[in-house]
Every structure is written in C-alpha cells, then in structure tokens.
Amino acid sequence: MSETVTEPAGETAAASADHQQRRLRVVRGGDGVDLEAAQRAVADLLAALGRDAQSEHLADTPKRVARAYAELLAPRAFDLTTFPNEEGYDELVLARDIPVQSLCEHHLLPFQGVAHVGYLPGDRILGLSKLARVVELFARDLQVQERLTKQVADWLQQHLAPKGVGVVIEAEHLCMSMRGVRVRGSRTVTSALQGLLREDARSRQEFFALSGVPA
C-alpha cells in the first residue's frame, strides 16, 4: 500500500496564525506502474487464457490494459485547503454521495458506490471539495472496502484534527455480482467513526441519519 506524502504548497502552508488560510500539497508516494512489465504480463495472461495476443483485435490490448490500470491506480494530487473556524461552528459538516471507484485487491475487479463523509469541526474547517479528494486518494489503489473506509477517517482525523469524523461507504463489488455467488445489486456497507461521532450516541445517530444509513 502506498503512503501519502504531504508537502507545503506556497507561502500559506508555512503560516502559523490561526486567522490565515492553510494549504498543503497532497500526493501519494511509492513507485508507479511499470507499463512495459504490465504489458508483458497482460500478453502472457491472454496466452494463458488461450487467446492469440497477436490477433488484430488483441494486438493493442496489453498496452490498453496497462495504461488503464495505471490510470485507475493514480489519484490526482491536490491542495488540502483549510480555513479558521472563526464563527465557532460546532455542528456536523457532511458530504453525501461522493462517488467511489476502486479495485478489489483479491480479484482485480472494480467495486464502486458512494461515500458519505462528515466531521465535527475543531479549530479549522475544510474546503468541501477536499472530502471527495481524500476519498479518491485512497480509492485509487488495490483495496478492500473495510481498509478504504478506515483510511479516509484516519487521514482526516490526523490532518484536520476535528472533534469527530464519520465515514460510510456503500459499494457494489463485481467480484460478487459477476462471479462466485453472482448477487447483482447487493451493496456492502462499511463505516468508521472517530471522536465524538463514535463516543456520543446523539452525534453518532445524527451522522447516520443524515447519511441515510440506519444506525
């Protein structure tokens, strides 16, 4: 699993006064996809499946598949922008139905759905689009849904220091709907709660209610 790397983005990142905007440049570390090796592996797989990788229709498939996986495993870098919570807002901030697209690390098949991400602000608030960016940061990888859910919550708790964080992901896994039990339309629901959203029953109930998920 690749680690995230956070770097200063401009002079505002070095600001220490609470009244200033802060930005951190977020990229994911680790090695990228070896496209040539991936192409060879896809060609070998086609041959193992009894297909002619040199046929007119399959000749460019190894290159296409390698590039597709490179794209699917590469989240976009972004600036994590936070602002001072000058009004002392202490109610839930929730972004619902954030699209989630990831790859099951057990079968290399996609799973997709939505994420509901919320937090109780502390001293700073987050630019709302960044909640979706954080989801993408961890979803663009070989994943299991349970780990993905916890990674998003842990990352927000570490970098935003809110009073509470809640993450719910609902997703359909093609490894269940296309193979094996072949249960189409079934969604797996996972959650991760931290701080007051875990410890306080009323806050937890409000988060699940606004997320549209039964508590």
Side-chain angles (χ1 to χ4, degrees):
M1 178 65 62
S2 300
E3 296 180 354
T4 59
V5 179
T6 308
E7 304 170 336
E11 294 181 357
T12 54
S16 58
D18 287 340
H19 67 276
Q20 292 182 324
Q21 171 183 321
R22 296 178 186 171
R23 293 197 310 161
L24 293 175
R25 187 65 172 172
V26 180
V27 297
R28 191 168 70 192
D31 297 330
V33 173
D34 184 334
L35 289 175
E36 292 186 0
Q39 290 179 39
R40 293 192 298 270
V42 175
D44 290 342
L45 176 61
L46 289 172
L49 295 175
R51 302 299 187 268
D52 179 8
Q54 302 304 317
S55 70
E56 182 178 355
H57 291 290
L58 293 178
D60 289 331
T61 296
K63 181 186 299 183
R64 294 191 189 103
V65 173
R67 289 178 176 175
Y69 273 92
E71 180 180 350
L72 292 171
L73 297 174
R76 294 168 291 180
F78 66 96
D79 292 334
L80 181 73
T81 309
T82 66
F83 305 88
N85 186 10
E86 295 175 340
E87 291 76 20
Y89 184 83
D90 59 0
E91 299 294 333
L92 184 65
V93 178
L94 176 68
R96 290 184 52 183
D97 298 326
I98 298 171
V100 174
Q101 296 176 326
S102 191
L103 287 170
C104 167
E105 68 179 10
H106 298 147
H107 299 95
L108 299 187
L109 289 173
F111 65 91
Q112 59 184 3
V114 294
H116 315 298
V117 182
Y119 72 98
L120 290 170
D123 293 333
R124 303 193 68 80
I125 57 177
L126 181 68
L128 289 178
S129 67
K130 309 311 177 188
L131 294 174
R133 292 288 200 180
V134 174
V135 171
E136 180 186 302
L137 177 67
F138 293 103
R140 291 277 176 165
D141 207 339
L142 301 181
Q143 274 288 11
V144 294
Q145 185 174 328
E146 297 88 341
R147 182 174 64 226
L148 170 60
T149 308
K150 189 173 186 303
Q151 284 177 328
V152 173
D154 288 347
W155 198 94
L156 288 170
Q157 186 67 43
Q158 177 183 353
H159 291 276
L160 188 59
K163 296 178 181 177
V165 172
V167 178
V168 170
I169 295 180
E170 305 175 70
E172 181 175 358
H173 294 245
L174 293 190
C175 60
M176 283 183 59
S177 60
M178 291 185 64
R179 57 160 299 282
V181 294
R182 299 184 184 182
V183 179
R184 295 185 178 181
S186 175
R187 286 197 165 196
T188 298
V189 181
T190 51
S191 65
L193 304 175
Q194 298 200 11
L196 287 178
L197 292 185
R198 183 181 184 89
E199 299 163 2
D200 182 73
R202 288 181 296 180
S203 297
R204 183 171 62 250
Q205 183 177 13
E206 179 187 13
F207 169 72
F208 283 123
L210 293 178
S211 299
V213 179

